[in-house]
């Protein structure tokens, strides 16, 4: 069964507690929290104290996506604030520092994840495959919600899934950006395990129904 991680980037920031409770009521699996620093991406969102406050009002896993430069400076604080999954971008520092950040995350009992931007070739993740619990394949340029899904990222996700099946089969693949009722089935067909959905979740007429649709397993050879 696929998982859905609604992104609170599309929620009302004046009422995040209501948004997060709404995600739980509608059957969402995780809460996706987008952290942006205005340098790695051209937008600024929320930081460590907000993650700490969200931790107090939900038992759902917090899937924290760091879109910040040199994340090693802050991963310890995000782990202590209550992240369950913590993604750092491969493009945000040297390979050595990204390895160190992922190790630090794991040492603090949090699931380490590696995120890649659309322009980053699949091969770049190879040195990290055995030390992460999730690879986040961005299906839009990070920075803003409500963008169009980049279909060419699906082949990349599927190639990475193939390598993981050999080297680290428990590792999940997550996609983020432009996931809706049209693109979600394609993601599942390409082996994606976790779908982040911001606008599609918060704008859905029936959020519970959208959650069930995303979670529904694909049936291979449905017509036969
Ligand atoms: C974009 C963020 C996404 C964003 C997705 O940089 O990482 O998590 O919330 O929004 P939608 O689903 O609207 O494309
Ligand atoms: Zn995100």
């Amino acid at each position: 069964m696929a998982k859905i991680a609604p992104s609170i980037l599309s929620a009302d920031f004046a009422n995040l507690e209501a948004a997060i409770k709404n995600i739980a009521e509608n059957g969402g699996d995780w809460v996706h929290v987008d952290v942006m620093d205005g340098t790695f991406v051209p937008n600024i969102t929320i930081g460590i104290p907000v993650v700490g406050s969200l931790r107090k009002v939900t038992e759902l896993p917090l899937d924290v996506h760091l879109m910040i430069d040199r994340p090693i400076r802050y991963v310890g604080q995000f782990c202590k604030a209550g992240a369950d999954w913590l993604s750092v971008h491969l493009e945000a520092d040297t390979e050595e520092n990204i390895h160190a950040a992922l190790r630090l995350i794991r040492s603090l009992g949090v699931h380490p994840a590696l995120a890649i931007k659309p322009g980053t070739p699949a091969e770049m993740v190879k040195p990290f495959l055995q030390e992460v619990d999730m690879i986040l394949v961005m299906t839009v340029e990070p920075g803003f919600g409500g963008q169009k899904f980049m279909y060419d990222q699906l082949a990349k996700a599927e190639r990475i899934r193939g390598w993981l099946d050999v080297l680290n089969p428990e590792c999940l693949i997550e996609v983020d950006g432009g996931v809706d009722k049209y693109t979600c089935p394609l993601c599942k067909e390409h082996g994606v395990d976790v779908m982040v959905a911001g606008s599609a979740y918060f704008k859905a007429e029936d959020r519970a129904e959208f959650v069930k649709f995303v979670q529904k397993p694909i049936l291979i050879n449905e017509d036969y």
Side-chain angles (χ1 to χ4, degrees):
M1 206 165 100
K3 288 190 193 316
I4 178 167
S7 165
I8 55 168
L9 187 60
S10 297
D12 175 4
F13 273 19
N15 207 345
L16 288 178
E17 181 173 3
I20 209 164
K21 292 201 161 141
N22 175 271
I23 292 170
E25 279 160 20
N26 286 309
D29 296 289
W30 298 353
V31 177
H32 187 81
V33 183
D34 287 305
V35 175
M36 305 188 190
D37 67 352
T39 304
F40 183 73
V41 287
N43 196 3
I44 298 177
T45 54
I46 58 188
I48 297 150
V50 178
V51 171
S53 296
L54 295 176
R55 179 70 292 157
K56 291 186 196 136
V57 297
T58 188
E59 286 177 8
L60 285 180
L62 296 179
D63 172 30
V64 180
H65 177 192
L66 297 184
M67 286 161 274
I68 65 174
D69 264 337
R70 293 190 291 131
I72 192 158
R73 297 174 295 158
Y74 292 107
V75 291
Q77 292 182 64
F78 278 101
C79 291
K80 286 176 192 144
D84 295 281
W85 294 79
L86 192 57
S87 303
V88 296
H89 265 271
L90 185 149
E91 307 85 359
D93 206 338
T94 62
E95 187 178 322
E96 192 187 344
N97 285 347
I98 295 298
H99 281 294
L102 294 168
R103 277 197 302 269
L104 178 56
I105 296 168
R106 193 180 293 288
S107 76
L108 293 168
V110 173
H111 293 287
L114 183 68
I116 51 170
K117 299 210 280 187
T120 301
E123 286 73 15
M124 300 278 290
V125 304
K126 282 191 166 175
F128 302 94
L129 290 175
Q130 282 163 295
E131 61 188 81
V132 291
D133 290 345
M134 186 165 75
I135 306 260
L136 193 182
V137 176
M138 288 303 300
T139 39
V140 298
E141 282 301 334
F144 300 93
Q147 303 182 72
K148 281 220 166 66
F149 185 85
M150 297 168 76
Y151 289 88
D152 56 351
Q153 299 305 305
L154 288 171
K156 186 159 101 183
E158 194 164 26
R159 284 185 73 203
I160 297 172
R161 177 75 268 161
W163 299 329
L164 288 171
D165 285 346
V166 178
L167 293 168
N168 186 2
E170 299 293 308
C171 182
L172 302 174
I173 298 252
E174 180 178 60
V175 286
D176 183 5
V179 176
D180 60 18
K181 63 182 175 184
Y182 303 106
T183 55
C184 164
L186 297 172
C187 296
K188 286 190 250 180
E189 281 169 21
H190 286 78
V192 174
D193 306 286
V194 186
M195 324 276 161
V196 175
S199 12
Y201 174 82
F202 281 98
K203 285 188 187 157
E205 256 174 51
D206 185 335
R207 292 176 180 170
E209 186 186 74
F210 180 68
V211 165
K212 282 202 197 85
F213 176 81
V214 173
Q215 291 168 335
K216 191 175 73 159
I218 42 163
L219 300 173
I220 310 278
N221 295 335
E222 201 160 3
D223 296 329
Y224 297 96

